[in-house]
Amino acid sequence: MLATLARVAALRRTRLLFGPGGGRGLWTGRPQSDTDNKKPLEGVKILDLTRVLAGPFATMNLGDLGAEVIKVERPGAGDDTRTWGPPFVGTESTYFLSVNRNKKLAAVCDVFVENYVPGKLSAMGLGYEDIDKIAPHIIYCSITGYGQTGPLSQRAGYDAVASAVSGLMHITGPEDGDPVRPGVAMTDLATGLYAYGAIMAGLIQRYKTGKGLFIDCNLLSSQVACLTQVAANYLIAQKEAERWGTAHGSIVPYQAFKTKDGYLVVGAGNNQQFATVCKILNLPELIDDSKYKTNHLRVQNRKELIKILSARFEKEMTSKWLYLFEGSGVAYGPINNMKNVFAEPQVLHNGLIMEMKHPTVGKISVPGPAVRYSKFDMSEARPPPLLGQHTTRVLKEVLRYDDKAIGELLSTGVVTQHEAQ
């Protein structure tokens, strides 16, 4: 459907990306009435030209706050992640289902989000400069691998590569072992969250000024910013980072310990918590040992102390340690597999399993929103669209195309319509 956008840009230049009447578009910035359950982004339309993870993760979160997300995909193929499997549910990949809820295909909105290589959309007449001329209210968010300009700007941006270049992979993995890619695409996800927040800031800025703006988000900058204290250690003290496995470079003990049947993560952030850990492990002699009296000393004598603690943890089942640590004031928890994660009482209590009815595969579940609000509920879960599911509806209801024009677009393959409308 990307070709449709180029065609719309040519045929309906004065109407692209904002509704009839022009001006500031479909979202005026006027305060809503003070009614409970009025979602903050109701009335905001977001044109989503992104694929894979960072962009869809950002727009999905905006959709959870009430925005209407209009997802545009290539006819016949769609988002790359539709083919990323196994596992599949019917013909849909679970990867795609996980980050594309609350979306419809179309070409009219208030926010424009894309993740193409810099310059590609400009060559099609859909760059920020082009859109700004006809829709100065637009919040245009570009998500790239490395930024709009610079020596790496034209490289394709994938999470694993960006996590390597940014240093994340250097600090992830076992001590003295090989670098390890995190189990989920944290660089993509961090960028998605940065984009999500930046778009919200852009909407507030437009509320104040009446004008839109361009947002430059990229994987490299997002991940370098997320290096936080590891980066500061180098920039301030020239201390090179190391890999610590599950451990912490500056706090001991703060890591996973092998039990008789699994693993338990325990963190003692101060001397009192360390003393509590020693009492629970029935190792009171460590509390007053001169080698472990302070965290600084515990870090210095890390190997000897961890060896003692590890030997004790291995003697009992995980369930026994969970019982003994309950109510202690020490941070602790098991390393759960996925089955245990979604059986965890707190996960269930927090509503982190979201069920929805998919038009071809029936009822499915995906992770729910992480944040809750006192004055409104998150948008009702709707499944990701089938490829081309809403094309005809959007062309007719949003762009006001007549049946003849829609028929021509369908017959020439410019757009596709799924049989399940």
Side-chain angles (χ1 to χ4, degrees):
M1 190 148 177
L2 186 57
T4 304
L5 288 176
R7 181 164 179 172
V8 170
L11 298 179
R12 301 177 65 97
R13 179 68 68 177
T14 60
R15 293 286 180 93
L16 181 64
L17 301 179
F18 58 117
R24 294 178 59 188
L26 297 172
W27 186 79
T28 64
R30 292 188 295 270
Q32 303 284 358
S33 60
D34 186 18
T35 304
D36 281 359
N37 209 32
K38 190 74 172 178
K39 297 172 184 63
L41 296 186
E42 283 186 12
V44 176
K45 292 185 182 292
I46 298 173
L47 177 60
D48 180 8
L49 271 67
T50 67
R51 61 260 191 244
V52 187
L53 185 56
F57 189 64
T59 57
M60 180 187 73
N61 280 284
L62 294 166
D64 286 339
L65 295 179
E68 180 181 8
V69 181
I70 304 164
K71 185 174 177 68
V72 179
E73 301 180 61
R74 292 175 296 166
D79 191 308
D80 297 348
T81 62
R82 288 185 183 270
T83 65
W84 286 11
F88 292 93
V89 180
T91 60
E92 299 286 343
S93 80
T94 58
Y95 195 116
F96 176 79
L97 293 172
S98 71
V99 291
N100 287 288
R101 62 177 179 264
N102 297 323
K103 301 192 174 176
K104 292 190 297 184
L105 304 177
V108 176
C109 66
D110 297 285
V111 178
F112 189 114
V113 191
E114 55 90 6
N115 62 351
Y116 287 83
V117 173
K120 186 167 184 177
L121 288 186
S122 293
M124 299 178 66
L126 294 170
Y128 175 66
E129 297 79 7
D130 305 297
I131 303 305
D132 183 52
K133 292 175 183 176
I134 58 172
H137 70 279
I138 206 75
I139 309 299
Y140 191 116
C141 180
S142 177
I143 302 174
T144 60
Y146 303 97
Q148 297 296 312
T149 59
L152 302 184
S153 62
Q154 291 301 302
R155 284 192 188 178
Y158 266 49
D159 171 89
V161 179
S163 72
V165 177
S166 69
L168 175 63
M169 208 175 284
H170 174 72
I171 60 174
T172 305
E175 185 180 2
D176 301 322
D178 293 334
V180 171
R181 175 185 174 274
V184 293
M186 288 308 305
T187 301
D188 268 344
L189 296 171
T191 306
L193 290 174
Y194 269 115
Y196 164 70
I199 290 167
M200 297 289 280
L203 290 170
I204 294 172
Q205 176 77 351
R206 189 175 72 179
Y207 176 84
K208 294 180 176 180
T209 68
K211 297 179 180 179
L213 76 167
F214 179 80
I215 297 169
D216 173 10
C217 274
N218 66 82
L219 304 184
L220 178 64
S221 296
S222 298
Q223 188 54 69
V224 170
C226 286
L227 294 177
T228 58
Q229 90 279 0
V230 174
N233 288 345
Y234 175 77
L235 293 172
I236 296 171
Q238 288 72 58
K239 177 177 171 56
E240 184 54 80
E242 303 175 52
R243 287 186 286 280
W244 289 104
T246 65
H248 194 291
S250 303
I251 305 172
V252 175
Y254 192 124
Q255 65 180 76
F257 293 95
K258 194 176 187 332
T259 68
K260 195 177 269 189
D261 65 336
Y263 292 89
L264 185 76
V265 176
V266 174
N270 56 50
N271 295 333
Q272 181 180 346
Q273 289 180 351
F274 174 68
T276 301
V277 170
C278 293
K279 292 174 184 176
I280 292 173
L281 270 60
N282 197 24
L283 295 169
E285 66 275 12
L286 298 180
I287 298 173
D288 296 319
D289 191 312
S290 60
K291 297 191 295 292
Y292 313 129
K293 289 283 287 182
T294 67
N295 181 68
H296 182 68
L297 291 168
R298 293 192 289 274
V299 171
Q300 286 184 336
N301 298 288
R302 175 194 300 269
K303 289 189 177 180
E304 181 181 352
L305 176 57
I306 295 303
K307 184 177 180 180
I308 296 170
L309 299 180
S310 296
R312 183 72 184 94
F313 273 110
E314 281 200 78
K315 291 182 178 179
E316 302 291 350
M317 307 284 277
T318 302
S319 58
K320 177 70 174 293
W321 292 123
L322 294 174
Y323 172 77
L324 292 174
F325 273 91
E326 178 65 31
S328 66
V330 174
Y332 70 98
I335 296 183
N336 284 329
N337 59 21
M338 292 303 102
K339 180 179 180 180
N340 290 336
V341 167
F342 292 105
E344 180 71 45
Q346 192 66 46
V347 170
L348 298 174
H349 175 80
N350 288 357
L352 292 173
I353 301 176
M354 177 179 283
E355 293 185 346
M356 61 184 73
K357 187 176 180 181
H358 191 275
T360 63
V361 300
K363 189 171 74 171
I364 60 173
S365 297
V366 295
V371 180
R372 294 290 187 270
Y373 302 86
S374 65
K375 291 296 184 181
F376 64 91
D377 296 326
M378 303 299 271
S379 292
E380 181 182 353
R382 296 191 300 273
L386 300 171
L387 185 58
Q389 181 178 348
H390 303 107
T391 301
T392 300
R393 185 195 312 172
V394 170
L395 290 174
K396 182 176 293 187
E397 296 179 4
V398 180
L399 294 179
R400 309 297 182 187
Y401 280 28
D402 59 29
D403 291 340
K404 181 179 179 181
I406 294 172
E408 290 178 357
L409 291 172
L410 291 169
S411 63
T412 57
V414 173
V415 299
T416 58
Q417 171 64 52
H418 196 281
E419 59 186 16
Q421 298 188 30

